[in-house]
Amino acid sequence: MPPRFSIADVLAGPEGEDFLQGFAARDYGKGMLVCSGDLDDNGVFVVTGGRLRVFLVGEDNEITLFYLGVGDIFSLHSGCLIEACEPSTVRVTDIVTFQRKMSSSPLLAYSLVSILGRAITACIGTIQNLAFHDIRQRLIGFFLDCARSGEVTQDGIEVRTSLTVEKIAQLIGSGRQATSSAISGLIREKLIVRLARGHYVIPDTARLLRAGQASRKDAGI
């Protein structure tokens, strides 16, 4: 996703306090829904604590679109479901109040541009993955993304993730069972090694990349 323009520091200062006057504070525990996707308030919220997941639900699975962190602004009426990934706090207001606040705080408008850019990029990436990549390819892409921030060791690149198999499935737009089977397949092929829950080693990232490219060719894409 494009670099984040965060207004967290601005919100923490005097300008932020003025901006947030009239916003109602709402607290959510981990797993609680901030928005249910329908019949939600026609309003806007600012994340002031925690992390939120924006996602869609189909008949058999969930698709994670993107995440919101401290300083991000989003709407309650987007049609998406939004849940707290951890204990979180948001400040909520109506559209009219928000428009008035933005006109008096032009700097904060840049946050909206940043968030919209990240959201659009993430959604396009999700559509491309679902349209052009099978589950195996999407899973390989997930592990390659993890490898970018992994630790180089003599056995390969160690990656750690706090995501459960169910959460990984949601992220790549697949079912839990299919994702679990795909992970087992990568382990059998020795493309990844599972050390513990959420702890893996990728012995050869170039080989893993080639495996994903081979799947793409086999699918005729």
Side-chain angles (χ1 to χ4, degrees), residues 60-62 135-136 138-139 164-186 188 194:
D60 301 318
N61 55 26
E62 297 180 2
I135 294 174
R136 174 184 164 89
R138 300 200 295 271
L139 185 61
T164 63
V165 172
E166 182 177 3
K167 292 298 183 183
I168 294 173
Q170 293 168 359
L171 188 63
I172 67 174
S174 178
R176 184 189 182 285
Q177 185 58 49
T179 301
S180 178
S181 297
I183 291 174
S184 297
L186 296 183
R188 284 195 302 272
R194 179 158 45 199

Side-chain angles (χ1 to χ4, degrees), residues 72-142:
D72 283 341
I73 301 173
F74 205 63
S75 72
L76 292 168
H77 51 279
S78 66
C80 301
L81 287 85
I82 304 176
E83 74 169 359
C85 301
E86 57 189 58
S88 303
T89 302
V90 302
R91 299 283 289 271
V92 183
T93 192
D94 59 85
I95 292 292
V96 175
T97 301
F98 181 73
Q99 288 175 333
R100 187 176 70 250
K101 295 282 189 177
M102 291 302 290
S103 65
S104 63
S105 303
L107 176 63
L108 300 181
Y110 286 105
S111 176
L112 283 179
V113 176
S114 172
I115 295 162
L116 287 174
R118 290 189 292 111
I120 291 171
T121 300
C123 289
I124 290 174
T126 298
I127 292 170
Q128 289 176 329
N129 268 332
L130 293 175
F132 304 119
H133 299 156
D134 59 22
I135 294 174
R136 174 184 164 89
Q137 288 173 292
R138 300 200 295 271
L139 185 61
I140 287 174
F142 167 79

